[in-house]
Amino acid sequence: MKSFLAVALLGTAVIGGAAFAQSTQPADRAAPAATAHPANSKMALKGNWRASKLMGLNVYNEANEKLGDINELLVDKSGKINAVVIGIGGFLGMGEHDIAVSMDKLKFVEEPVRTSSTSTSTTSRETTTGAASTSRNANDWVPDHAVMSGNKEQLKALPQFKYSDYN
């Protein structure tokens, strides 16, 4: 009975001591309050894309030839995307020529790439609004692909982007 009472008191002291040790921070050291979002904050974010989903996104030219894919987004301290690093050519990351282009050089497209090998007899599902539906959800937080001007040879002629040059 004495050992049970001793264990109970010790447990209470440990739990109570941890709770007692927690104190509120002074107002000047407290974390800043989160900004209030409007009641329809879900709607305020509609149409945005997730940066994590842009990584690996295929990049094509106007002739629907695949140029490469997005390897990295370079962001400044304020959160603005300063450059997009695109891996041109290569196979499975080997032999890629990385280039850095400004975001305005890319046009993001939310429709599948149309190639000359695509049959014109493909069927598309119709939604209730009559618009053709793609395999992606309209609000899946990622475009289908990006388009930029040029061909592989022209882009490989651009200076190669190397992270080590900026360290």
Side-chain angles (χ1 to χ4, degrees), residues 66-141:
K66 184 176 177 187
L67 300 172
D69 57 1
I70 296 176
N71 289 343
E72 194 74 59
L73 300 173
L74 302 178
V75 183
D76 69 10
K77 292 179 182 179
S78 70
K80 179 182 174 239
I81 297 175
N82 278 339
V84 179
V85 177
I86 301 173
I88 304 297
F91 180 71
L92 299 175
M94 301 295 292
E96 272 189 339
H97 178 82
D98 287 341
I99 61 169
V101 298
S102 60
M103 192 70 155
D104 63 346
K105 300 290 184 204
L106 294 173
K107 175 184 164 194
F108 292 96
V109 181
E110 298 189 75
E111 302 174 349
V113 176
R114 302 205 192 284
T115 61
S116 58
S117 64
T118 305
S119 171
T120 57
S121 65
T122 57
T123 59
S124 63
R125 296 177 298 179
E126 294 289 324
T127 63
T128 56
T129 60
S133 173
T134 64
S135 61
R136 291 184 180 238
N137 183 354
N139 189 20
D140 65 355
W141 298 88

Side-chain angles (χ1 to χ4, degrees), residues 16-71:
F20 182 73
Q22 295 178 359
S23 62
T24 59
Q25 292 182 342
D28 62 335
R29 294 183 64 195
T35 58
H37 290 287
N40 62 350
S41 63
K42 182 176 179 182
M43 295 305 291
L45 296 176
K46 186 174 182 149
N48 287 293
W49 295 320
R50 293 172 57 187
S52 62
K53 298 289 185 180
L54 294 177
M55 307 295 287
L57 192 71
N58 291 328
V59 179
Y60 293 83
N61 62 12
E62 292 89 356
N64 292 329
E65 299 167 334
K66 184 176 177 187
L67 300 172
D69 57 1
I70 296 176
N71 289 343

